[in-house]
Amino acid sequence: MEEQLRIEHNAVQNAGSGIAITDPDGIISYANPAMCVLWGRETEDGVRSTSIQDLFCEPAAVTDVIGRAASSRNWNGELKACRQDGNSFYVFTSATSCVDEDDTVTHIVFSFVDTTRRRLDEEALRLYQDHLEDLIHERTTELERINNDLKREIAERLRIETDLRDAIQKLREHDQAKNMFVSNVSHELRTPLTALIHAIESLMRGVAGAVPDPVVSYLSMMLEDCWRLDRTVCDILDLSRIEAGRLELNTANIPIRRMVERTVESLRMEAEGVPLTLEMIAGVHNGFVDCDAAKMERVVINIVNNAIKFTPPGGTVRVGIEQQGRSGVEGVCCRITDSGIGIPAEYINRVTERFFRVGEQVGGTGLGLAIAKEIIERHQGQLDITSPPPGADKGTQVTIWLPTTTPQRVMIVAYDRGVPHVLEPAFLKQGYLVSSYPNAQHALQVLHDGHHHIVIVDSTIPDMDGSEIVMHIKADPILRRLPVFLLAEDKPAPARSSILSSFGIPVFLKVDGMPDLIDAVEDAFLPQRIGIQELHAP
Ligand code: ADP
């Protein structure tokens, strides 16, 4: 029994929880070392014989616990204890009463576990939860605010979008009205302008009698200005067509060198007026280009005109043509190089914008290069502008590059071997393909293959008269669009001549008309415009 008691005493002594035994009034008779550690006492002597109530912050609560333990044997709960140094801590307390045979409480056993750490953790957790709740509340309020702002913004955007849509619709309507107006005005301007040009040309041709030289020079000036005005009206018309996406190309296979040469010649008087040197440097060989000749001619005129306009007196404007392939595509380059004022580097990329002009300058609409770029690109070509030109210290170089196509094929129908003998090398030299036929029936048959673009007919062919062949061609619905030229030994009789001219068939004399014939063939697909020199010629 003693041994048993000793074992139990040892167990209580070494228990991790604080254990105290008191009498029914709470006077401590035993306290184990763990209890002393909890209350910061060195030995159990410090607590023995003291009242257990004095070890707690609220002694009355402990008296109450003793009462409860006595009546119901056991009480569990948390109490706030205080150490000698005044620090408080929490203990989970279990109080159990022990009774004798008469059921009288003899003493009470207390056990204590320090719960301060747990309480602190719980408190921290509670504080953290409170903080989280605050945070969530704060964030929710912020999100609600953002949400409301967003709703307001979306409503505002929708309103702006509707306004914008209305504005775009109005702009479109204005644009359509503007394009319609520009188109109508341009047509209104062009009709009297064309009549004026025809009237001046007729006067210069002498339909109203011989024109004295001073009058001719006035008429020439009037004609130049009419053409300039006509070009501007055409530019404006093209711009409105480009904007409306309705720019149509009326393409034909044209000899590019000849077209450039003609446009350069048409500006010679302008160049002389400055005065400056206007040079055309191009080999005889033609490149053939599928293009809208009227539009491309205006492009070249605008660019050469710019070169003349922006080059001071004494300067030079050179127009050169050379074959040049790009990215594996055969093509031809037309370079217009001037020694003029040049374009500042920062504006090079802007001069092809609509209405853009460098600084204050006289004359011009700012449309020429913008339209030129559009038209060239519509022909799968490229427009490059360099200032100064390569190797020069001033001036501008504008390069038009266009892809080339197969050359035109000329058919010569002539029994007289002398005709192809002269014409074949002349056309081959200019880049044309030529085939000659001595027999009219055979030639007409071959024409139906569609490989020929131009026909030259000699008037003396054994199996059919030249004029007859020409009439056959003009009467044929498939062939009638082919340009046809007639070669004759002498001027045709007036009756025949008027029939031929009513079909638009020019007649050239075999002896001295060959050079003119070649020029006329070259001009066959170019816009018909009579040069001033030509008009003035006797
Ligand atoms: P416009 O000549 O009618 O003003 P363009 O579109 O043809 O319009 O040219 C736009 C601008 O580019 C011109 O106003 C001019 O400032 C500049 N420019 C064009 N060509 C030349 C050039 N050869 N030399 C100097 N400046 C040029």
Side-chain angles (χ1 to χ4, degrees), residues 21 113 157 289 375 386 402:
I21 301 171
V113 175
R157 292 248 166 117
V289 172
I375 289 176
T386 322
L402 292 168

Side-chain angles (χ1 to χ4, degrees), residues 305-357:
N305 207 26
N306 275 347
I308 294 171
K309 204 162 67 177
F310 296 109
T311 301
T316 311
V317 172
R318 282 198 182 91
V319 182
I321 294 194
E322 60 180 356
Q323 310 278 330
Q324 191 193 73
R326 287 192 182 178
S327 313
V329 180
E330 300 233 323
V332 64
C333 258
C334 171
R335 287 186 219 284
I336 297 103
T337 312
D338 66 61
S339 62
I341 60 168
I343 301 170
E346 66 267 35
Y347 297 130
I348 281 279
N349 290 329
R350 299 205 56 198
V351 288
T352 49
E353 285 174 15
R354 281 161 211 181
F355 307 113
F356 184 85
R357 305 170 74 210

Side-chain angles (χ1 to χ4, degrees), residues 259-303:
M259 187 203 76
V260 174
E261 204 171 59
R262 273 182 22 153
T263 54
V264 168
E265 281 320 308
S266 75
L267 290 168
R268 190 157 296 286
M269 272 177 57
E270 220 139 312
E272 281 165 6
V274 177
L276 52 76
T277 311
L278 176 62
E279 287 175 0
M280 170 94 190
I281 312 158
V284 280
H285 204 279
N286 262 312
F288 287 85
V289 172
D290 254 337
C291 85
D292 185 317
K295 289 193 170 48
M296 198 55 78
E297 190 180 76
R298 256 187 305 116
V299 165
V300 180
I301 289 182
N302 272 332
I303 294 171

Side-chain angles (χ1 to χ4, degrees), residues 228-494:
R228 190 175 307 120
L229 193 56
D230 188 53
R231 283 201 302 272
T232 307
V233 173
C234 286
D235 279 352
I236 294 170
L237 248 168
D238 274 354
L239 182 78
S240 76
R241 286 186 189 128
I242 289 168
E243 282 181 350
R246 282 192 295 108
L247 184 76
E248 276 166 23
L249 299 180
N250 191 7
T251 58
N253 187 0
I254 63 149
I256 185 81
R257 182 191 54 78
R258 174 68 180 169
M259 187 203 76
V260 174
E261 204 171 59
R262 273 182 22 153
T263 54
V264 168
E265 281 320 308
S266 75
L267 290 168
R268 190 157 296 286
M269 272 177 57
E270 220 139 312
E272 281 165 6
V274 177
L276 52 76
T277 311
L278 176 62
E279 287 175 0
M280 170 94 190
I281 312 158
V284 280
H285 204 279
N286 262 312
F288 287 85
V289 172
D290 254 337
C291 85
D292 185 317
K295 289 193 170 48
M296 198 55 78
E297 190 180 76
R298 256 187 305 116
V299 165
V300 180
I301 289 182
N302 272 332
I303 294 171
V304 179
N305 207 26
N306 275 347
I308 294 171
K309 204 162 67 177
F310 296 109
T311 301
T316 311
V317 172
R318 282 198 182 91
V319 182
I321 294 194
E322 60 180 356
Q323 310 278 330
Q324 191 193 73
R326 287 192 182 178
S327 313
V329 180
E330 300 233 323
V332 64
C333 258
C334 171
R335 287 186 219 284
I336 297 103
T337 312
D338 66 61
S339 62
I341 60 168
I343 301 170
E346 66 267 35
Y347 297 130
I348 281 279
N349 290 329
R350 299 205 56 198
V351 288
T352 49
E353 285 174 15
R354 281 161 211 181
F355 307 113
F356 184 85
R357 305 170 74 210
V358 181
E360 293 290 315
Q361 66 214 11
V362 279
T365 55
L367 288 179
L369 289 177
I371 293 170
K373 187 169 159 47
E374 189 78 31
I375 289 176
I376 291 167
E377 286 175 358
R378 283 287 304 273
H379 285 86
Q380 277 71 52
Q382 292 164 2
L383 175 74
D384 306 312
I385 304 168
T386 322
S387 181
D393 56 358
K394 62 180 173 142
T396 305
Q397 183 173 76
V398 182
T399 307
I400 303 166
W401 180 85
L402 292 168
T404 43
T405 53
T406 44
Q408 288 183 342
R409 183 178 284 277
V410 180
M411 172 184 273
I412 301 171
V413 191
Y415 184 74
D416 172 2
R417 287 298 309 149
V419 175
H421 183 75
V422 174
L423 289 182
E424 272 186 16
F427 279 115
L428 286 172
K429 195 171 156 201
Q430 312 255 18
Y432 288 83
L433 302 170
V434 195
S435 32
S436 300
Y437 295 85
N439 180 295
Q441 295 290 356
H442 183 210
L444 285 173
Q445 225 176 341
V446 172
L447 268 186
H448 277 275
D449 294 346
H451 297 313
H452 291 85
H453 307 94
I454 291 154
V455 191
I456 298 169
V457 181
D458 187 7
S459 52
T460 47
I461 306 203
D463 64 330
M464 200 186 282
D465 180 72
S467 310
E468 215 180 311
I469 301 172
V470 170
M471 289 308 153
H472 259 91
I473 294 172
K474 288 296 161 190
D476 190 312
I478 296 169
L479 304 180
R480 68 156 64 114
R481 284 180 186 282
L482 283 174
V484 182
F485 302 85
L486 190 63
L487 274 174
E489 302 285 350
D490 307 303
K491 270 191 160 185

